[in-house]
Amino acid sequence: MEQGNALHSPTRVAHLTTVHHPFDPRIFHKQLAALRNAGFDAHLVAPHERTERVHGIPVHALPRPQNRAHRLALQPRVFRTARALGAALYHVHDPELLPLAGLLKKTTGARVVYDMHENYRSKGALLGRFLRALERWAFRWVDHVLIAEQSYRAIMEDHARPHTYIPNYFRPIGEEPPAAPVDISSPPTRLLYTGTLSDGRGLRTMVRLAARIRGADRPETLSLVGICRYPTQRARTEEQIRRGGLGAVVDRVGWDTYVRPSTMPPHYRQADVGLALCEPRPNHVGSIPTKFYEYLHYGLPLICSDIPLWRRFVDRHECGAVVPPNDPAAVLDVLDEWQAHPERYRQCAENARTAAGQYRWGPIGKRLAGLYRRVLPDNVPELSTTESR
């Protein structure tokens, strides 16, 4: 590759995305924070209201795109912004940015890391094939690939490319005190779902669950904390809540706006049970939801869809129950059992808290910083002791 502009610093690295929120937990609060604490000059190029420094990390603002066409139209600006940074390494989070990353590598001599967040082949026949083709092309020249799930190893083995598993383990945001033990003095009635909301992620099932709770005059409540990016699904759900009188059962936080991770702890602390009632779609069956690790941290037993990988997780840690997908009655059966036998619920909560220690971000952040040192051509600072969680 020919080299163009000189690198500003052998420790300057830049993460690029036009798809993800600038304060996406994996990108900003885990990876960039770990790199900052390890002594890297870590930057982010992403859609944001303004260019600013947040928690010591410079955020270089791009306009917020409204759709994929707008994102593609942003690419020249992304390239100019990224190239002007003169980073020694560019870390790309979206497959559609891979051609831009290839151009950065060719014109600057920088290293390129590609972060595979999803199995994009599951995005539908046409789009999925296109994104996988982009990845296959990039695997010929990218310096390293990060995979967010163990199941993606099969993709990488087909291409014999160097790759590293960087899971989305839990990292507390800010100086948060340790989570208090779950209050088991009363039956588990406060149900919580966190994360992006959609029918595929269980939205329709959770509304049906709320309707059953309302119809049977049960004591449970359901908090949905996250954004639903689909206006038609939001409108349908709002009408179902209004028509069914479910306002006293369902609480929506965020809904049409992104919920920042720093605002999440109170919702976990006020809950008794964590839900993950996703449909068994291709991208779910090979992935452990990040919310599992978050629920465990707060000692929340799980009730999740009976997906083989998820069942193995719950069975291994004895931290909850699995139910058939799209079956709200089965969720109520689990709650009835826990309410009739509180010692079983208590044991699941204790097991969840015990298991949480296996899924802390701290060692993964060190793994990421070590990888950067191996990929970069020059010596970089040793890991600081500030990244301990």
Side-chain angles (χ1 to χ4, degrees), residues 43-69:
H43 293 245
L44 173 64
V45 178
H48 190 41
E49 289 81 8
R50 61 190 175 277
T51 294
E52 60 177 339
R53 184 180 291 267
V54 182
H55 301 315
I57 299 168
V59 179
H60 304 271
L62 302 169
R64 290 194 181 277
Q66 299 303 310
N67 51 45
R68 186 179 300 275

Side-chain angles (χ1 to χ4, degrees), residues 217-236:
D217 197 24
R218 294 176 61 105
E220 290 88 2
T221 58
L222 176 57
S223 292
L224 307 178
V225 183
I227 185 172
C228 179
R229 293 190 172 90
Y230 303 97
T232 55
Q233 294 184 20
R234 286 203 308 268
R236 185 205 66 225

